């Protein structure tokens, strides 16, 4: 070879490498060594100090698995890359699959569907850029399905027993066996020693997972592998596909219905957000373009009006008298969100949320039909009993429906557990309220400090002081502190909520998730929204007036209750909403970015890993998708839903921020599922569970909160009352002066007087404050004026009218839009009819064959001829 020319040497080297690669065994496979039996599940473990006990557990567990009919194959640690990890591969043969498919009542096809997908939509060509290929959107043909019956295998469309049950169904069946298989010796009755979950928790096994079918960036070599993971990554997980529809049928086929329904809901929610975002942007644009019509802000900023109005101190001692025009910038900012368009946007959002929920019910009903989930809950309720419930509940009683003995939790134990659980949740809710009170105390205390630093924003002492008022500085810092407290409390409560839910021992998986959902959402609701409720409905409402101010904790503290700016508290509520909502989304995106960074650094070093790492080794290093993984995804989106509905009147751009976040969220979640997580065990769900009721409750509450925000937090109603009842020229000129009451400075107690007040008074004898009270010298001095009661009556009338209008429209829309589309109802009825007809014909033919066989084997009777028997049989049939 050395004597050959260089070109020939290069050619020979290339041929040698290619031949070596062909001869090298392909480890990237989902089959046993025989290349025939498919790997349905993988368990991994390592040897450690406590090896003998764990080895004994594994020996008993694997022996019981083999008794259950599963086939096992072990990969020695010498064959693994780290030289430490053993891998136990599990295969479920046909008899096991058929038996448990019968037990779990898994629906399988028995006849090709003859129902068309739907009619052609006009202008369908406009949606072509957003569509995916047909084989991606519909990976399997439509069939009529029926619960599997092992005794009627010839009734179903079984072309190949090895591929009849898809991998998602196979791993679901195997996991069902693993979760209930004991690992104690025969003859002993130690019920706690049961299930793969306990073996994972005590370290006997390090991981248990089904295999991905291929690498996500390349198709599988084996033609029998579907390469569905690759298709999901190519058409769904890449961010460049953000404008494309989601392959929901493929997601459901690969990951199961539970994950599929989550992405269907998230995609539909994002689509509906587009309309809310457009309307919010229009509302914000109107506020920006109507600057010139904002007479109130012009008067505040005018040196001859706002510059001559001396305002009373906002706190005792440290806060000076101040000029109204120092709030010029905040008044302009407030107009962006507090304008005439905000009222219409609040009403629109009340109707939008109803349309979203009603149309989602229709979309969900269609998915239930297409994914064979119409009768799932009724059939599967008993089959979803958690292994933990079966293990920890030693008492047994007769089930009146099934007439079988089943485990149950005594009522005394159940009540005790519920009481402890309720007390724990109540303690944490009280802890949140205590933290909010602490933040309010911080706002009151720190305001005086900011006021002493930024005494006159119009002075050119500090560059920052020209743009930041004490109110804004206090609001921003308090919001940031509140956000940090929220994240810390979340971190600890998540662990507590899981612990107390486990302690309650729920019977079914559905019951477990619903209980955890209610606990977590109740806590998150108070945690995230309590500060917004304070700013919207409490701040500035219980202030009093100079000389008779209200204090936090009554007279026990010197912390005076906060006042709102002359333009209202809406801008502070907007600031709080932006910081908490955007901060939460930013924090989540930072965590996603860190994961992506680690992934990218590992991706650089991948060179033909299939030749060095087996499929189970590649999946073993991936992250485990926990049973509650989807729960946290739902929780994040529902909390966001609360922000864009409960307080959307204060920040019309909230739906736009949510839209941008969700477009990214869908692709990031898809990317995590296809590249970062092990393949989760497929599980079924016919809807989004308890989240549906939570969304309905939030939707109803949002109408009330937005009506109160527009009435009491916004300055819209006082402006309208002034415009139509008190303005001399039917315009807003003079509104600022009208909305400020007068107080005699000499009547301010010395304990409340600013320390440096001489230079601020400008020989003034009075100061102004935000309220509607009679001036000094009036016979009803400092009592509320008639205008105050007119405004209060107008606010209450607005709340009643807005709520009734929105609720009437909501209920009318809900009544007009049926939960189940008419074509879906017709299809369900037709499928049931055809199923019964087909099953009846099958049973008749089967009975004919049985009777014909019996006629052949039985001797002819003297009394009845074969002809007579056939006539009797025909009459019976």
């Amino acid at each position: 070879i050395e004597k050959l020319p260089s070109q020939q040497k290069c050619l020979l080297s290339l041929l040698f490498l290619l031949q070596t690669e062909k001869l090298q065994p392909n480890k990237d496979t989902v089959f046993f060594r025989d290349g025939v039996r498919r790997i349905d599940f993988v368990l991994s473990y390592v040897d450690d100090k406590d090896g003998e006990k764990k080895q004994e557990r594994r020996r008993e567990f694997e022996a019981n698995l083999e008794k259950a009919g599963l086939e096992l194959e072990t990969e020695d640690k010498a064959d693994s890359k780290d030289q430490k990890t053993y891998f136990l591969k599990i295969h479920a043969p046909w008899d096991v699959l058929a038996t448990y498919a019968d037990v779990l009542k898994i629906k399988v096809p028995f006849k090709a569907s003859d129902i068309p997908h739907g009619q052609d939509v006009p202008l369908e060509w406009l949606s072509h850029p957003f569509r995916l290929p047909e084989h991606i959107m519909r990976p399997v043909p439509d069939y009529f399905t029926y619960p599997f019956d092992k005794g009627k295998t010839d009734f179903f469309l079984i072309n190949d027993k090895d591929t009849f049950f898809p991998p998602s169904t196979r791993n679901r069946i195997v996991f069902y066996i693993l979760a209930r298989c004991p690992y104690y010796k025969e003859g002993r009755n130690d019920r706690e020693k049961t299930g793969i979950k306990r073996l994972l928790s005590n370290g006997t096994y390090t991981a248990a997972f089904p295999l991905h079918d291929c690498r996500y960036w390349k198709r599988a070599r084996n033609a029998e592998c579907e390469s569905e993971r690759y298709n999901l990554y190519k058409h769904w997980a890449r961010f460049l596909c953000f404008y494309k529809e989601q392959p929901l049928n493929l997601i459901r086929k690969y990951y199961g219905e539970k994950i599929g329904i989550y992405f269907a809901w998230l995609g539909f929610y994002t689509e509906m957000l587009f309309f809310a975002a457009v309307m919010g942007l229009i509302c914000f644009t109107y506020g920006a373009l109507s600057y010139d019509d904002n007479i109130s802000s012009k008067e505040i900023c005018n040196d001859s009006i706002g510059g001559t109005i001396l305002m009373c101190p906002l706190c005792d001692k440290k806060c000076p008298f101040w000029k109204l025009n120092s709030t010029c910038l905040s008044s302009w900012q407030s107009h962006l969100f507090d304008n005439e368009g905000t009222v219409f946007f609040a009403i629109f959002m009340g109707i939008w949320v109803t349309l979203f929920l009603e149309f989602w019910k229709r979309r969900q009903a269609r998915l239930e039909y297409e994914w064979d989930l119409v009768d799932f809950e009724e059939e599967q309720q008993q089959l979803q009993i958690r292994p933990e419930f079966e293990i920890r509940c030693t008492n047994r009683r007769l089930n009146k429906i099934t007439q079988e003995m089943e485990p149950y939790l005594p009522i005394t134990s159940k009540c005790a557990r519920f009481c402890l659980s309720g007390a724990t949740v109540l303690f944490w809710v009280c802890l949140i309220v205590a933290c909010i009170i602490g933040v309010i105390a911080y706002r009151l205390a720190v305001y005086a400090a900011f006021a002493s630093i930024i005494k006159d924003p119009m002075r050119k002492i500090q560059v920052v002081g020209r743009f930041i008022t004490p109110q804004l500085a206090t609001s921003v810092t308090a919001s940031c502190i509140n956000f940090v407290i929220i994240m810390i409390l979340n971190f600890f409560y998540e662990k507590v909520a899981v612990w107390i839910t486990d302690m309650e021992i729920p019977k079914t998986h559905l019951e477990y998730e619903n209980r955890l959902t209610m606990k977590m959402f109740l806590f998150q609701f108070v945690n995230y929204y309590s500060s917004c409720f304070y700013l919207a409905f409490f701040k500035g409402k219980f202030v009093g007036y100079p000389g008779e101010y209200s204090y936090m904790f009554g007279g026990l503290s010197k912390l005076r209750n906060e006042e709102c700016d002359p333009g209202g508290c809406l801008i502070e509520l907007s600031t709080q909403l932006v910081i908490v909502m955007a901060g939460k989304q930013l924090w989540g995106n930072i965590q996603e970015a860190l994961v992506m960074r680690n992934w990218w650094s590992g991706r650089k070093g991948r060179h033909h890993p299939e030749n060095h790492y087996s499929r189970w080794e590649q999946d073993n290093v991936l992250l485990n998708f926990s049973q509650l993984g989807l729960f946290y995804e739902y929780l994040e989106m529902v909390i966001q839903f609360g922000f864009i509905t409960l307080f959307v009147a204060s920040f019309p751009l909230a739906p736009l921020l949510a839209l941008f976040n969700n477009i990214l969220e869908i692709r990031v979640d898809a990317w995590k599922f296809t590249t970062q997580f092990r393949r989760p065990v497929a599980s079924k769900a016919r809807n989004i569970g308890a989240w549906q009721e939570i969304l309905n409750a939030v939707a109803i509450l949002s109408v009330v909160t937005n009506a109160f925000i527009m009435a009491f937090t916004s300055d819209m109603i006082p402006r309208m009352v002034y415009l139509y009842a008190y303005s001399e020229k039917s315009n807003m000129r003079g509104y600022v002066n009208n909305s400020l009451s007068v107080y005699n400075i000499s009547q301010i107690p010395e304990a409340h007087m600013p320390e440096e007040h001489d230079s601020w008074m400008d020989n003034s004898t009075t100061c102004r404050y935000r309220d509607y009270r009679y001036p000094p010298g009036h016979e009803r001095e400092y009592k509320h004026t008639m205008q105050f009661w007119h405004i209060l009556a107008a606010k209450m009338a607005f709340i009643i009218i807005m709520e009734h209008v929105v609720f009437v429209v909501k209920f009318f829309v809900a009544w007009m839009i049926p939960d189940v589309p008419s074509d879906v109802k017709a299809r369900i009825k037709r499928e049931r009819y055809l199923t019964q007809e087909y099953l009846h014909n099958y049973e008749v033919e089967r009975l004919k064959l049985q009777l014909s066989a019996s006629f052949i084997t039985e001797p002819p009777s003297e009394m009845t001829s074969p002809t007579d028997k056939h006539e009797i049989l025909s009459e019976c049939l």
Side-chain angles (χ1 to χ4, degrees):
I1 294 176
E2 292 295 334
K3 296 179 181 180
L4 292 174
S6 58
Q7 291 182 351
Q8 293 184 6
K9 284 196 291 183
C10 291
L11 182 61
L12 285 173
S13 301
L14 180 61
L15 291 172
F16 177 75
L17 289 173
L18 291 173
Q19 189 65 24
T20 303
E21 187 175 351
K22 288 181 181 180
L23 293 174
Q24 208 170 25
N26 178 25
K27 293 185 177 182
D28 189 39
T29 179
V30 293
F31 292 94
F32 275 20
R33 297 191 192 100
D34 56 17
V36 177
R37 292 175 293 173
R38 190 182 185 102
I39 302 172
D40 298 314
F41 227 87
V42 173
L43 308 180
S44 65
Y45 60 92
V46 294
D47 289 331
D48 52 22
K49 297 178 182 179
D50 196 19
E52 292 185 3
K53 291 183 179 179
K54 294 178 180 179
Q55 189 175 0
E56 180 65 24
R57 294 183 198 135
R58 285 193 293 267
R59 188 183 302 112
E60 296 297 333
F61 185 68
E62 292 168 16
N64 289 328
L65 289 179
E66 289 180 331
K67 290 179 182 177
L70 298 179
E71 298 176 2
L72 312 178
E73 186 176 86
T74 304
E75 291 288 335
D76 193 82
K77 65 179 181 180
D79 297 327
S80 62
K81 194 68 177 179
D82 60 2
Q83 301 289 307
K84 297 178 181 178
T85 308
Y86 294 87
F87 292 95
L88 178 68
K89 298 177 289 186
I90 302 174
H91 167 77
W94 168 257
D95 287 341
V96 174
L97 294 173
T99 300
Y100 283 92
D102 193 350
V103 171
L104 296 173
K105 303 298 180 186
I106 294 174
K107 288 188 174 182
V108 293
F110 69 89
K111 184 180 184 296
S113 175
D114 58 359
I115 301 177
H117 294 308
Q119 299 177 353
D120 294 334
V121 179
L123 301 178
E124 187 180 2
W125 58 272
L126 291 175
S127 64
H128 283 174
F130 309 102
R131 303 294 297 275
L132 290 175
E134 186 66 19
H135 73 280
I136 300 297
M137 292 303 299
R138 298 188 179 276
V140 293
D142 287 340
Y143 293 102
F144 291 137
T145 59
Y146 189 76
F148 186 80
D149 188 341
K150 191 177 180 181
K152 302 176 182 177
T153 54
D154 54 336
F155 175 70
F156 303 100
L157 295 177
I158 305 177
N159 297 323
D160 185 356
K161 290 184 177 180
D162 293 333
T163 59
F164 179 68
F165 293 107
S168 58
T169 302
R170 297 174 69 98
N171 69 56
R172 179 184 163 210
I173 290 174
V174 173
F175 183 76
Y176 182 87
I177 299 172
L178 292 174
R180 288 158 176 79
C181 183
Y183 56 90
Y184 50 80
K185 291 183 179 180
E186 189 175 356
R188 297 179 59 182
N189 190 14
D190 193 351
R191 295 190 58 82
E192 291 189 358
K193 293 185 177 181
T194 302
I196 187 62
K197 289 185 178 180
R198 287 189 65 86
L199 291 172
L200 290 171
S201 62
N202 61 31
T204 304
Y205 291 100
T206 56
F209 52 91
L211 291 178
H212 283 294
D213 61 358
C214 68
R215 294 155 287 158
Y216 64 86
W217 69 90
K218 190 177 180 182
R219 291 186 179 277
R221 288 184 177 182
N222 194 330
E224 295 183 17
C225 289
E226 299 84 357
S227 298
E228 291 172 351
R229 185 189 187 192
Y230 167 79
N231 288 331
L232 286 170
Y233 178 76
K234 180 181 178 182
H235 298 283
W236 178 51
R238 296 189 302 168
F239 184 74
L240 294 178
C241 301
F242 74 92
Y243 62 95
K244 297 276 190 180
E245 61 183 337
Q246 296 187 87
L248 295 177
N249 289 315
L250 185 58
I251 297 170
R252 172 246 182 171
K253 183 173 182 285
Y254 192 74
Y255 291 112
E257 287 79 3
K258 192 172 184 178
I259 293 176
I261 205 78
Y262 163 73
F263 280 104
W265 175 82
L266 181 57
F268 184 80
Y269 170 46
T270 305
E271 291 172 10
M272 292 294 291
L273 270 178
F274 174 78
F275 303 100
V278 170
M279 289 301 298
L281 187 60
I282 292 174
C283 178
F284 178 80
T285 305
Y286 171 79
L289 295 178
S290 61
Y291 261 12
D292 294 337
D293 301 329
N294 185 14
I295 298 175
S296 300
S297 294
K298 288 182 178 180
E299 290 184 348
I300 291 174
C301 297
N302 194 325
D303 291 337
S304 61
I305 301 176
T308 59
I309 296 177
L310 184 70
M311 302 296 293
C312 297
L314 295 174
C315 65
D316 297 340
K317 290 293 184 181
K318 297 294 183 181
C319 297
F321 293 93
W322 53 287
K323 295 295 179 66
L324 180 61
N325 62 352
S326 65
T327 61
C328 175
L329 182 61
S330 64
S331 69
W332 283 108
Q333 293 170 341
S334 179
H335 178 72
L336 289 172
F337 309 117
D338 191 5
N339 53 68
E340 294 80 2
T342 309
V343 179
F344 297 100
F345 183 63
I347 296 173
F348 168 81
M349 287 301 295
I351 300 171
W352 173 87
V353 73
T354 304
L355 292 173
F356 163 64
L357 293 174
E358 292 302 319
F359 283 130
W360 165 246
K361 289 178 184 177
R362 292 169 63 84
R363 179 77 174 110
Q364 188 171 255
R366 193 175 295 277
L367 289 176
E368 286 181 16
Y369 166 72
E370 293 177 355
W371 292 357
D372 291 324
L373 299 171
V374 175
D375 302 319
F376 165 71
E377 191 171 355
E378 292 77 8
E379 295 174 352
Q380 297 294 324
Q381 193 65 30
Q382 288 297 98
L383 301 174
Q384 290 183 342
I385 294 179
R386 298 171 64 236
E388 294 84 353
F389 183 85
E390 295 176 333
I391 294 168
R392 297 174 65 180
C393 295
T394 56
N395 297 296
R396 293 288 187 273
R397 67 180 177 186
L398 184 67
N399 187 314
K400 296 180 180 179
I401 299 174
T402 62
Q403 293 297 308
E404 295 179 358
M405 299 300 292
E406 65 175 12
Y408 82 101
L409 192 64
I411 189 67
T412 53
S413 176
K414 186 180 294 186
C415 290
R417 293 171 188 272
F418 280 169
C419 290
L420 180 58
S421 175
T424 305
V425 174
L426 182 62
F427 167 78
W428 278 88
V429 171
C430 292
L431 183 61
I432 298 172
V433 174
C435 291
I436 294 300
I437 293 174
V439 173
I440 295 172
Y442 163 83
R443 297 175 69 100
L444 301 179
V446 83
Y447 181 83
F450 279 123
S452 63
I453 297 172
I454 315 173
K455 290 186 177 180
D456 182 9
M458 301 306 292
R459 287 180 182 175
K460 296 184 179 179
I461 298 174
Q462 304 176 26
V463 176
V464 175
R466 299 180 60 189
F467 303 101
I468 297 184
T469 62
Q471 292 96 327
L472 182 60
T474 302
S475 179
V476 171
T477 55
S479 299
C480 293
I481 292 173
N482 185 54
F483 175 71
V484 173
I485 292 174
I486 285 172
M487 301 310 293
I488 293 173
L489 290 176
N490 277 350
F491 175 78
F492 289 105
Y493 183 76
E494 285 178 2
K495 303 180 185 302
V496 174
V498 173
W499 175 74
I500 58 178
T501 307
D502 288 337
M503 180 197 63
E504 292 175 6
I505 321 179
K507 184 176 181 179
T508 65
H509 292 290
L510 181 64
E511 188 179 347
Y512 180 91
E513 291 182 4
N514 288 346
R515 290 188 188 180
L516 182 62
T517 297
M518 298 308 297
K519 291 183 184 68
M520 284 295 295
F521 182 75
L522 175 63
F523 175 84
Q524 300 276 23
F525 184 91
V526 179
N527 198 18
Y528 277 105
Y529 304 142
S530 53
S531 57
C532 293
F533 273 101
Y534 163 73
L535 291 174
F537 307 122
F538 295 97
K539 183 183 177 182
K541 308 300 185 295
F542 311 99
V543 177
Y545 61 93
E548 291 292 335
Y549 281 119
S550 301
Y551 290 83
M552 190 177 185
F553 306 119
L556 300 178
S557 71
K558 296 182 179 181
L559 300 176
R560 203 170 92 190
N561 288 347
E562 286 185 282
E563 296 183 47
C564 293
D565 280 335
C569 278
L570 198 69
I571 188 64
E572 288 195 52
L573 179 58
S574 303
T575 303
Q576 175 76 18
L577 188 65
V578 170
I579 290 177
V580 176
M581 178 182 173
K584 183 178 184 300
Q585 295 181 353
L586 183 62
W587 175 252
N589 292 334
I590 289 173
Q591 291 178 315
E592 306 287 0
L594 293 175
V595 173
M596 188 172 290
R597 180 188 173 193
N598 296 333
W599 169 80
W600 183 259
S601 60
R603 188 176 186 267
K604 291 181 179 178
R606 83 176 182 208
H607 294 288
H608 302 292
E610 68 275 14
N611 294 336
H612 305 286
Y613 297 97
S614 60
R615 164 75 6 233
W616 42 91
E617 286 181 279
Q618 294 178 50
D619 286 5
N620 188 52
V621 297
L622 297 178
L623 300 174
N624 180 47
F625 185 75
S626 67
Q627 184 182 357
L628 299 177
L630 214 55
F631 166 82
Y632 293 113
E633 301 291 346
Y634 272 118
L635 183 62
E636 179 184 358
M637 289 295 104
V638 172
I639 293 296
Q640 181 202 86
F641 180 80
F643 278 124
I644 68 165
T645 54
L646 294 175
F647 309 102
V648 73
S650 66
F651 187 57
L653 293 180
L656 185 64
L657 294 180
L659 176 64
F660 289 146
N661 177 80
N662 288 8
I663 290 174
L664 180 64
E665 182 75 19
I666 290 175
R667 302 304 160 178
V668 170
D669 285 349
W671 171 81
K672 288 192 301 185
F673 270 97
T674 53
T675 67
Q676 299 299 299
F677 288 129
R678 297 169 185 156
R679 185 173 183 173
V681 178
S683 57
K684 286 182 174 289
R686 64 176 300 182
N687 50 42
I688 60 176
W691 299 111
Q692 182 74 43
E693 299 304 321
I694 289 175
L695 292 174
N696 290 332
V698 171
I700 294 173
L701 182 61
S702 67
V703 178
V704 180
T705 56
N706 284 303
F708 273 84
I709 287 172
M710 294 309 303
F712 288 98
T713 310
S714 168
D715 208 31
M716 182 61 59
I717 302 300
R719 289 201 296 263
M720 293 297 102
V721 171
Y722 174 81
L723 178 64
Y724 294 109
Y726 291 89
S727 176
E728 296 178 356
K729 298 181 180 180
S730 297
N731 58 35
M732 293 302 296
R733 296 190 184 280
Y735 168 73
V736 173
N737 185 62
N738 176 268
S739 65
L740 298 175
S741 298
V742 182
Y743 194 82
N744 193 333
I745 293 177
S746 62
Q747 293 179 317
I748 298 178
E750 188 62 29
H752 301 165
M753 189 66 79
E755 295 174 348
E756 302 176 6
H757 57 273
D758 294 336
S759 60
W760 287 89
M761 295 175 62
D762 295 335
N763 299 320
S764 299
T765 59
T766 61
C767 63
R768 310 294 292 273
Y769 59 99
R770 191 172 187 262
D771 208 343
Y772 294 90
R773 294 179 184 270
Y774 289 106
H778 194 275
E779 61 180 5
R780 301 191 62 194
E781 184 180 65
Y782 305 135
K783 300 294 183 181
H784 283 121
T785 65
M786 187 57 66
Q787 187 176 354
F788 170 84
W789 300 109
H790 288 168
I791 291 173
L792 182 61
K795 289 180 176 180
M796 299 307 296
F798 174 82
I799 291 173
I800 293 172
I801 293 172
M802 179 179 169
E803 286 184 355
H804 280 71
V805 168
V806 175
F807 278 131
V808 166
V809 173
K810 280 171 64 70
F811 291 128
F812 178 74
V813 169
W815 175 75
M816 285 288 293
I817 302 175
D819 293 346
V820 182
S822 57
D823 65 315
V824 173
K825 286 183 179 178
R827 291 184 179 199
I828 292 174
K829 291 179 180 178
R830 172 162 174 74
E831 182 167 343
R832 285 176 174 171
Y833 166 75
L834 292 176
T835 300
Q836 292 298 325
E837 183 182 35
Y838 196 79
L839 187 63
H840 171 73
N841 293 336
Y842 167 79
E843 293 290 350
V844 168
E845 293 298 327
R846 189 178 183 185
L847 183 58
K848 284 182 179 180
L849 292 174
Q850 290 178 350
L851 291 176
S852 298
S854 65
F855 292 154
I856 294 173
T857 55
E858 290 180 4
S861 173
E862 294 180 0
M863 299 295 298
T864 308
S865 66
T867 305
D868 296 334
K869 287 186 178 181
H870 283 293
E871 290 177 357
I872 295 171
L873 175 60
S874 299
E875 290 176 3
C876 293
L877 295 176

